[in-house]
Amino acid sequence: HLINAAGSVELAITTLALRDGFAPPTMNLTDPDPEVGLDCIPLVGRASNRMTNAVKLSVAFGGHMAAVALRRWNEAASGFGAADYRRAA
């Protein structure tokens, strides 16, 4: 376990997932409840050009909690960022 660095590594993975348009799998979820109505992405990750926002939550020892909200940068003028998700739908 990375102890104090775990949140930073998870934030980096979340940022890369937004940049690359790839949603990593929800680990150890083998039997999702179909009535829940959430797309939990069990077992295998998935490419998705619709991901534009993400929230990363970290809960630490002693009751500490941190939250970071991210938004993917799409700027057509510079070509930086992922393709416009509305056109690729």
Side-chain angles (χ1 to χ4, degrees):
H1 194 282
L2 294 172
I3 309 295
N4 294 333
S8 299
V9 171
E10 292 166 358
L11 181 61
I13 291 169
T14 303
T15 303
L16 291 173
L18 278 176
R19 184 195 71 181
D20 298 341
F22 184 80
T26 303
M27 299 305 297
N28 301 317
L29 180 62
T30 57
D31 189 24
D33 185 350
E35 293 184 28
V36 170
L38 293 175
D39 186 9
C40 296
I41 311 173
L43 304 175
V44 178
R46 171 182 335 142
S48 173
N49 61 352
R50 293 180 177 260
M51 293 188 332
T52 56
N53 301 297
V55 174
K56 166 66 187 93
L57 300 173
S58 290
V59 180
F61 298 115
H64 296 94
M65 183 172 181
V68 177
L70 301 171
R71 172 179 276 167
R72 182 171 63 189
W73 179 11
N74 274 341
E75 184 179 338
S78 69
F80 187 79
D84 186 356
Y85 70 93
R86 286 166 280 178
R87 284 183 287 168

